[in-house]
Amino acid sequence: MLTFAGELWSRVVGELSHEFASVQVDYNHVDAACIYLVESPERYGIIVTDNLFGDILSDLAGAVTGGIGYAASANLNPARTGASLFEPVHGAAHDIEGTGRANPLAAVSSAVLMLEHLGEVDAASRIARAVQEFKGDVATLGTAGITTQLMESL
């Protein structure tokens, strides 16, 4: 099964790459991509892969950039013929529901991606700036404290 896991993406990228000549395209096996994400994450702008490897790589990328509690994601429908999905990489965190310990920064950053996608660039910029300038201790502030600090910096 894994032999064919990336075949769709490889084929589609190969078929379309000539239409986007300015975009540099490279192929990496997932184990190499993990090494490159740790050693030089800036080498990637976009990673196209299937769900299994995408989940692994997005968790690793989140950890490399400060933890998956900070990592936003967007699954875009660029044709806008259907829905797009915006969510934190870490998922719902049901294990800490109701405890006030959830870090909302990834959810807020996912909302920034959604606002950008919808063309609400000014609102997205203001919220993104508040997230980038956040300096508080997540563990001490908790969900409400983080949210309050973000709102105050808008």
Side-chain angles (χ1 to χ4, degrees):
M1 172 91 167
L2 287 179
T3 304
F4 303 105
E7 192 277 330
L8 170 66
W9 301 114
S10 294
R11 182 170 38 84
V12 171
V13 168
E15 291 171 1
L16 296 177
S17 62
H18 69 280
E19 294 180 35
F20 303 93
S22 65
V23 176
Q24 181 181 347
V25 176
D26 196 7
Y27 176 87
N28 301 134
H29 289 291
V30 69
D31 54 344
C34 287
I35 293 168
Y36 299 148
L37 275 171
V38 170
E39 292 180 346
S40 57
E42 69 279 357
R43 76 185 292 158
Y44 295 107
I46 296 172
I47 296 175
V48 178
T49 188
D50 58 53
N51 187 61
L52 172 64
F53 293 146
D55 191 44
I56 293 166
L57 293 172
S58 64
D59 284 356
L60 176 64
V64 167
T65 59
I68 62 172
Y70 298 93
S73 73
N75 297 292
L76 300 177
N77 177 342
R80 298 176 184 259
T81 56
S84 293
L85 174 69
F86 305 87
E87 64 180 340
V89 169
H90 61 68
H94 295 293
D95 58 323
I96 59 172
E97 178 181 358
T99 66
R101 298 182 338 199
N103 177 350
L105 293 173
V108 172
S109 295
S110 296
V112 168
L113 296 175
M114 180 186 66
L115 289 168
E116 290 172 345
H117 184 70
L118 295 173
E120 297 293 335
V121 179
D122 291 338
S125 293
R126 289 179 47 224
I127 297 168
R129 189 171 32 262
V131 171
Q132 290 167 353
E133 293 173 357
F134 175 80
K135 300 289 186 222
D137 177 23
V138 171
T140 303
L141 288 172
T143 309
I146 295 167
T147 304
T148 299
Q149 184 174 326
L150 288 174
M151 295 298 291
E152 288 172 353
S153 63
L154 290 177

